[in-house]
């Protein structure tokens, strides 16, 4: 019973913080975040295709740009997954 009380207290605190900081999360917000991640993924892959189409070794600048694009995609995809987990755990109701 003590662990259940502790778990519920942690759940309630999480739900309060998340609700206060993220507000209402509707399907539109999910769609926009998913679309942003998809665009970032496409930019990253498109740049990789450009870099790989050249016969020369990619430049340091090309690789830096590719790395930045991948990081942008990774961050947006991770944010989408985190938002989804908040719904799975009932911290948010879409």
């Amino acid at each position: 019973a003590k662990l259940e009380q502790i778990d519920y207290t942690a759940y309630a605190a999480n739900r309060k913080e998340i609700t206060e900081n993220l507000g209402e999360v509707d399907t539109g917000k999910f769609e926009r975040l998913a679309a942003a991640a998809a665009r970032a993924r496409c930019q990253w892959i498109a740049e990789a295709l450009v870099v790989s189409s050249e016969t020369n070794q990619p430049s340091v600048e090309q690789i830096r740009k590719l790395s930045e694009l991948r990081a942008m995609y990774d961050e947006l995809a991770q944010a989408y997954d985190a938002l989804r987990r908040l719904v799975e755990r009932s911290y948010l109701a879409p």
Side-chain angles (χ1 to χ4, degrees):
K2 283 280 192 194
L3 285 179
E4 287 175 7
Q5 184 179 9
I6 291 168
D7 287 344
Y8 180 77
T9 301
Y11 167 81
N14 273 289
R15 186 175 168 100
K16 179 180 182 286
E17 288 297 320
I18 290 164
T19 302
E20 287 178 3
N21 287 288
L22 297 181
E24 288 288 318
V25 178
D26 57 16
T27 55
K29 287 184 180 180
F30 271 93
E31 183 179 355
R32 288 187 294 278
L33 186 53
R39 282 191 302 274
R41 179 179 48 218
C42 289
Q43 290 173 331
W44 170 46
I45 293 170
E47 184 65 22
L49 292 172
V50 168
V51 168
S52 66
S53 70
E54 299 174 4
T55 57
N56 297 331
Q57 182 73 12
S59 69
V60 171
E61 179 60 27
Q62 287 174 310
I63 296 302
R64 184 195 59 74
K65 182 177 179 184
L66 194 59
S67 178
E68 288 174 359
L69 291 171
R70 179 181 43 82
M72 185 183 339
Y73 162 65
D74 285 343
E75 289 300 324
L76 289 166
Q78 290 292 325
Y80 178 86
D81 288 342
L83 186 59
R84 190 174 185 284
R85 276 191 306 278
L86 293 179
V87 172
E88 286 176 345
R89 294 177 182 169
S90 300
Y91 293 132
L92 287 173

